[in-house]
Amino acid sequence: MAASFQIWHCLLALLLLAPAAQGQLSPSFYARSCPTLGLIVRATMIRALLAERRMGASLIRLFFHDCFVQGCDASILLDDVGSFVGEKGAGPNVNSVRGYEVIDQIKANVEAVCPGVVSCADIVALAARDSTFLLGGPTWAVPLGRRDSTTASQSLANSDLPSPASDLATLISAFGNKGLSPRDLTALSGAHTIGFSQCQNFRGRIYNDTNIDAAFAALRRRTCPAAQGSGDGNLAPLDVQTQLLFDNAYYRNLVGQRGLLHSDQVLFNGGSQDALVRQYSTNPALFAADFAAAMVKMGNISPLTGSAGQIRANCRVVNSS
């Protein structure tokens, strides 16, 4: 009896210490195979944000645009090569998504220490978490163990990524299709507390919407002409108050009708998310906790695990067979 009890304890200890089972993500996935992974990513991210703080917002967006197309599989990183068509040329991504070079640098630094071990998909997830934290937001344990896709889908990128002109019902449906709740939608939209958007994405809002603060609309019109094709790429901060600090000012902007995108302001426009927006606007701790939980949930969208996919040597191309 004592012997079997000892054996059971040994098996339990092995189970607890072992990496995550195939098909399951775990923050300790690389505890043995690449124990310094977190330090390498953090050090590279600090250098990247010292060079350009805006890059943090870009890397959070990169994670979102990856996970919403085929799941969190680094498909967005694949370049168009020969007959292979990736997602970078899709409408929501082209001349818009940034940060590929930072992911390349993190991957190179990780490969130098742990060659062939860490996926590009996991690096994207870690970079998004570190971006949030280094700009003043919450941190969280990132479940790891994703593998990289060998495919990409420009058509899904065009259909599944919501437009900045989306109404609330469309947003709730798009997020619901990925297993994310309306609360997740509202929390994740808070990533717009940092970063910038192009004039072509908010022109309709500042010239056509009526639920907008007049002084805010006038401010944005100064650098975003009404004529389509004029100043399309001109940038404006998504958060007019603290554009490079991860805080809850985004929600205070919405309450004051100063959301930059139409898809921002619909979260506070007499609809189902108004009460939550008000809560977040006065309770930064609640927003931080919900944002972290929603980022983990988004990171669990259809990951490739076990023997599915591959660990790319170069995040931009599928490994040659």
Side-chain angles (χ1 to χ4, degrees), residues 33-163:
S33 57
C34 193
T36 58
L37 172 62
L39 293 173
I40 297 168
V41 175
R42 179 64 56 87
T44 314
M45 282 300 307
I46 288 171
R47 285 197 295 272
L49 296 191
L50 283 174
E52 184 191 12
R53 283 179 67 88
R54 178 189 167 206
M55 185 55 70
S58 299
L59 289 167
I60 296 171
R61 184 164 179 253
L62 178 66
F63 181 50
F64 166 53
H65 281 228
D66 181 35
C67 290
F68 261 56
V69 182
Q70 296 192 168
C72 309
D73 61 358
S75 58
I76 194 172
L77 304 180
L78 291 169
D79 285 340
D80 293 354
V81 178
S83 60
F84 183 90
V85 177
E87 298 164 14
K88 292 181 178 179
N93 296 335
V94 66
N95 299 322
S96 175
V97 171
R98 310 165 68 241
Y100 301 117
E101 294 80 8
V102 176
I103 300 300
D104 290 340
Q105 186 60 62
I106 297 173
K107 176 67 170 175
N109 293 347
V110 170
E111 286 293 304
V113 179
C114 313
V117 171
V118 180
S119 69
C120 301
D122 279 343
I123 287 172
V124 171
L126 287 166
R129 188 273 309 274
D130 282 8
S131 293
T132 304
F133 176 68
L134 291 170
L135 291 178
T139 189
W140 58 91
V142 178
L144 300 168
R146 302 168 190 80
R147 288 168 64 85
D148 300 323
S149 70
T150 57
T151 63
S153 177
Q154 188 171 116
S155 61
L156 284 178
N158 281 319
S159 64
D160 288 10
L161 288 164
S163 154

Side-chain angles (χ1 to χ4, degrees), residues 1 20 88 173 283 302:
M1 186 76 171
K88 292 181 178 179
S173 175
N283 191 336
S302 306

Side-chain angles (χ1 to χ4, degrees), residues 7 25 49-50 122 145 230 264:
I7 291 170
L25 302 183
L49 296 191
L50 283 174
D122 279 343
S230 177
D264 289 325

Side-chain angles (χ1 to χ4, degrees), residues 200-222:
Q200 61 186 336
N201 294 325
F202 60 85
R203 178 180 282 121
R205 164 116 175 97
I206 62 173
Y207 285 101
N208 302 327
D209 285 4
T210 55
N211 60 339
I212 188 168
D213 177 79
F216 175 71
L219 173 67
R220 292 283 75 95
R221 287 173 182 170
R222 290 182 198 168

